[in-house]
Amino acid sequence: AMACGLPVAVSEKAGAAGNLVNEGVNGIIIRSNEQDKLAALLLKAAADKSLLPQMGSQGTSIIHNYTFKHIQTAIEKYMQQL
């Protein structure tokens, strides 16, 4: 979703959530029993039509650091240090 410019809502149980999702910037992290948080964001987005596109564009800038080429380069650098 982030690569497509969409905001994300992830569970706190998602492994990379803390690395990829900046709370309120490019999405939200939903913790157990916080369904009201998602509902509040949806109501806010309905009132402010620019909110979700803004969050989506923020996610696009973050996810570019996780392309295959970026990860490949990082692994190669690591392997050269061994």
Side-chain angles (χ1 to χ4, degrees), residues 2 6-12 14 17-18 20-31 34-42 44 51-52 55:
M2 289 174 69
L6 300 171
V8 294
V10 298
S11 166
E12 68 178 333
L20 297 174
V21 179
N22 294 327
E23 187 78 31
V25 175
N26 66 332
I28 60 171
I29 300 172
I30 306 293
R31 290 160 186 82
E34 286 189 339
Q35 299 84 353
D36 291 344
K37 186 177 185 180
L38 178 58
L41 174 66
L42 293 174
K44 186 176 178 181
L51 178 65
L52 295 181
M55 292 175 84

Side-chain angles (χ1 to χ4, degrees):
M2 289 174 69
C4 294
L6 300 171
V8 294
V10 298
S11 166
E12 68 178 333
K13 307 287 184 194
N19 296 334
L20 297 174
V21 179
N22 294 327
E23 187 78 31
V25 175
N26 66 332
I28 60 171
I29 300 172
I30 306 293
R31 290 160 186 82
S32 298
N33 299 319
E34 286 189 339
Q35 299 84 353
D36 291 344
K37 186 177 185 180
L38 178 58
L41 174 66
L42 293 174
L43 290 172
K44 186 176 178 181
D48 179 1
K49 302 292 185 204
S50 67
L51 178 65
L52 295 181
Q54 287 173 350
M55 292 175 84
S57 68
Q58 291 294 323
T60 302
S61 64
I62 292 169
I63 203 66
H64 286 297
N65 293 326
Y66 293 89
T67 64
F68 177 78
K69 185 65 177 171
H70 184 270
I71 300 299
Q72 177 187 7
T73 301
I75 291 171
E76 288 172 354
K77 285 181 182 177
Y78 175 77
M79 296 299 283
Q80 288 173 356
Q81 293 174 355
L82 294 179

